[in-house]
């Protein structure tokens, strides 16, 4: 399992009701189902991923996140998870609101655009950053709403969203002295657990 | 039949008949004292009878879902694209059962069969059947075959409604319900199309109040019209454009009312073929069963209430160009199942083929269907 998924799964207790937005091939939910007996559903649009979820016995619903979560009733879930997709949706602010409407807590991960390597790429090269975490060119990137750790936290403050837990890690999904002291400079992936 | 039977066909098959002497109490209040169910099976039932899959047919379907009846059979069964060795419903792994529904015209008791009490043909006196009644009779078939619990109950369109009904009426007797191109109930528009079809039969002078058998005739024109209007709703605008466009049979206008456009020719041909092979009373009955289907109404509540006591896992699939039972209708089922916490998966297949797509060998559809059924088979062998 991807390291960030392993980190997230530690935050989800046994028997929780989980909605995973952009669940990919269903690894996280499969793990949570087997290990924590969660009642989970994934949303996904890629049909290869959907077939992979079927094969794993993971509940998956073909649904485009950009069309919202209007089909789910308020407070239906304990946790709504979205890993590495916040930056790819049309309106990250709306989806965040929706996540906190249908779920008690939201767990979100995104690539930190404030990382020093990204800053220096743009600063010194004067070109849009391309890296292992952000491997696309400016014209074909699905990442249309990149943000930094500071941006995200400012947004949470504006919307009265409470940050329960934060893990900012390097590309190996480890946190160290640097990522703890200067998360917006040394963190490559930001992982948040938030609530209203 | 083709020169040689394809590798992925179930091959030559033979229908069987189950005679049930136990009275069947029907939703309409009447009782069917005894009845016949004709059915086919493919594959082998395993030792603990845990690998059985029930196929529920749609409006004009029947028990012959796969394989060939004889060496001269021009076409395989109606769902041969999905049933057979290595196909989504893999007959190397599953024991597949497909009955003809009561009220049908392919061997099971129906308007065209004999009323045991009078010795006459039932005709229009055959009791009105509902999806619930069919499911009840299918449970009798399961009992007779020694199947306590289906690995899956699978159906498209009206067949999908039966799969859904199974999950509500016999929650412990199926592990999975596969509901394809279906709806939780018909819309006013759906009912309207059915009513046009029924009126075309009922007003045919050869209908004789449904007793056309006694007059040695049948409402041919009515059946043709009914099928023509039905068929339009099974295809999409795009599918018709691609298949026919505005193509003319002879390349020019004749300024008359004979067949000129290819689409006219096609519809008439479809209607005529259908009218020779289908019973008018059955068509009336089947369309009413569709109209009546409404599990929420049945439990005096919402669809969520109706599905609250289900236990099985669900797969719901729809086709984006299907306007007869659009993806929105399938999503209503999915949303209700999520709300009551049931295991449910949903996929929407991108195809221009309309409602009929569920019968076609569309690669994405077969891949997803196969992936799900593969998991069902694994769970079966681990059980």
């Amino acid at each position: 399992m991807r390291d960030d998924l392993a980190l997230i799964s530690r935050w989800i207790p046994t028997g929780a009701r989980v909605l995973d937005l952009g669940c990919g091939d269903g690894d996280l939910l499969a793990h949570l189902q087997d290990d924590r007996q969660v009642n989970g559903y994934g949303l996904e649009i890629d049909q290869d991923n959907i077939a992979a979820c079927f094969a794993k016995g993971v509940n998956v619903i073909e649904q485009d996140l950009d069309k919202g979560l209007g089909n789910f009733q308020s407070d239906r879930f304990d946790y709504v998870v979205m890993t590495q997709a916040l930056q790819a949706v049309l309106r990250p602010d709306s989806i965040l609101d929706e996540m906190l409407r249908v779920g008690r807590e939201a767990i979100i991960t995104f690539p930190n655009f404030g990382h020093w390597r990204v800053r220096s790429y743009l600063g010194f090269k004067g070109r849009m950053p391309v890296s292992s975490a952000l491997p696309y060119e400016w014209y074909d990137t699905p990442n249309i709403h990149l943000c930094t750790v500071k941006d995200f936290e400012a947004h949470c403050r504006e919307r009265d969203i409470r940050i329960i837990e934060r893990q900012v890690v390097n590309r190996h999904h480890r946190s160290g002295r640097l990522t703890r002291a200067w998360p917006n400079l040394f963190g490559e992936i930001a992982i948040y657990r938030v609530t209203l | 039949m083709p020169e040689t039977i394809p590798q992925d066909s179930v091959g030559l098959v033979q229908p069987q008949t189950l005679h049930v002497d136990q009275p069947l109490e029907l939703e309409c209040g009447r009782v069917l004292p005894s009845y016949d169910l004709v059915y086919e099976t493919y594959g082998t039932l395993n030792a603990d009878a845990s690998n059985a899959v029930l196929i529920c047919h749609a409006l004009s379907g029947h028990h012959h879902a796969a394989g060939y009846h004889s060496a001269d059979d021009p076409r395989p069964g109606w769902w041969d694209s999905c049933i057979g060795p290595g196909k989504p419903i893999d007959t190397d792994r599953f024991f597949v059962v497909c009955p003809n529904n009561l009220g049908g015209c392919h061997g099971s008791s129906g308007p065209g069969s004999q009323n045991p009490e009078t010795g006459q043909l039932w005709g229009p006196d055959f009791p009105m059947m509902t999806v619930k009644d069919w499911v009840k009779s299918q449970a009798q078939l399961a009992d007779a075959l020694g199947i306590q619990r289906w690995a899956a109950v699978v159906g498209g369109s009206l067949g999908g409604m039966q799969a859904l009904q199974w999950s509500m009426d016999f929650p412990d007797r199926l592990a999975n319900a596969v509901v394809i191109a279906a709806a939780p109930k018909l819309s006013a528009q759906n009912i309207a199309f059915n009513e046009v079809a029924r009126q075309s039969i009922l007003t045919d002078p050869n209908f004789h109040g449904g007793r056309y058998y006694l007059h040695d005739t049948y409402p041919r024109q009515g059946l043709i019209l009914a099928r023509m209007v039905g068929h339009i709703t099974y295809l999409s605008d795009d599918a018709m454009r691609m298949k026919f466009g505005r193509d003319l049979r002879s390349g020019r206008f004749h300024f008359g009312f004979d067949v000129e456009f290819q689409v006219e020719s096609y519809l008439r041909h479809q209607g005529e073929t259908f009218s020779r092979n289908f019973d008018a009373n059955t068509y009336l009955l089947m369309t009413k069963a569709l109209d009546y289907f409404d599990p929420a109404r049945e439990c005096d509540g919402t669809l969520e209430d109706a599905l609250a006591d289900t236990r099985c896992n669900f797969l719901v699939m729809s086709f984006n160009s299907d306007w007869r039972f659009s993806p929105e209708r399938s999503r209503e089922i999915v949303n209700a199942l999520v709300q009551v916490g049931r295991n449910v998966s949903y996929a929407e297949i991108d195809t221009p083929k309309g409602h009929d797509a569920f019968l076609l060998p569309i690669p994405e559809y077969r891949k997803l269907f196969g992936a799900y059924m593969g998991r069902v088979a694994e769970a079966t062998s681990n059980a």
Side-chain angles (χ1 to χ4, degrees), chain A residues 7-22:
Chain A
L7 279 174
I8 290 168
S9 69
R10 273 186 245 143
W11 285 347
I12 295 175
T14 300
R17 300 167 304 161
V18 179
L19 181 65
D20 186 357
L21 310 185

Side-chain angles (χ1 to χ4, degrees), chain B residues 171-190:
Chain B
D172 297 321
R173 295 198 67 177
L174 72 166
N176 293 272
V178 179
V179 180
I180 307 170
K185 63 182 177 218
L186 259 57
S187 67
Q189 190 195 42
N190 292 149

Side-chain angles (χ1 to χ4, degrees), chain A residues 34-53:
Chain A
D34 294 344
D35 245 45
R36 311 272 158 87
Q37 293 79 49
V38 303
N39 169 237
Y41 302 87
L43 303 187
E44 182 53 56
I45 43 171
D46 180 88
Q47 291 197 330
D48 288 330
N49 278 334
I50 293 174
C53 289

Side-chain angles (χ1 to χ4, degrees), chain B residues 19 25 35 92 101 109 150 155 161 170 210 224 239 242 244 252-253 256 308 311 317 333 335 343-344 350 357 370:
Chain B
H19 179 74
E25 285 184 27
Y35 57 92
D92 288 338
N101 283 341
S109 298
W150 300 101
M161 294 171 173
F170 297 100
I224 290 174
M242 283 189 284
F244 313 109
R252 63 184 188 88
F253 291 164
R311 301 237 173 94
M317 286 194 282
I333 300 171
N335 293 340
N343 284 324
V344 54
D350 181 21

Side-chain angles (χ1 to χ4, degrees), chain A residues 85-102:
Chain A
L86 185 74
Q87 75 282 359
V89 297
L90 277 181
R91 287 297 299 263
D93 55 339
S94 319
I95 197 89
L96 193 53
D97 290 346
E98 277 288 271
M99 289 171 80
L100 290 167
R101 176 183 68 79
V102 302

Side-chain angles (χ1 to χ4, degrees), chain B residues 42 69 159 173 186 204 290 302 320:
Chain B
Y42 322 112
H69 276 164
R173 295 198 67 177
L186 259 57
D204 186 315
L290 264 171
T302 61
N320 65 347

Side-chain angles (χ1 to χ4, degrees), chain B residues 285-303:
Chain B
L285 184 150
M286 296 268 175
T287 56
K288 284 304 270 192
L290 264 171
D291 292 0
Y292 290 141
F293 181 72
D294 186 354
R297 182 181 189 276
E298 192 186 309
C299 76
D300 238 347
T302 61
L303 186 58

Side-chain angles (χ1 to χ4, degrees), chain B residues 2 4-11 13 42 53 55 64-68 75-96 154 317 358-363 365-377:
Chain B
T4 52
I5 295 178
Q7 282 287 310
D8 60 356
S9 166
V10 297
V13 295
Y42 322 112
V53 171
I55 308 292
H64 183 38
Y68 300 86
R75 274 196 312 265
W78 57 268
W79 218 7
D80 202 77
S81 62
C82 288
I83 304 169
K87 291 179 184 173
I89 302 170
D90 189 344
T91 48
D92 288 338
R93 310 176 84 176
F94 292 115
F95 175 66
V96 179
V154 181
M317 286 194 282
F358 84 89
L359 297 166
L360 303 174
I362 296 164
Y365 169 44
R366 280 166 52 124
K367 184 176 83 182
L368 290 165
F369 197 179
Y372 190 88
M373 291 308 291
R375 176 74 184 186
V376 172

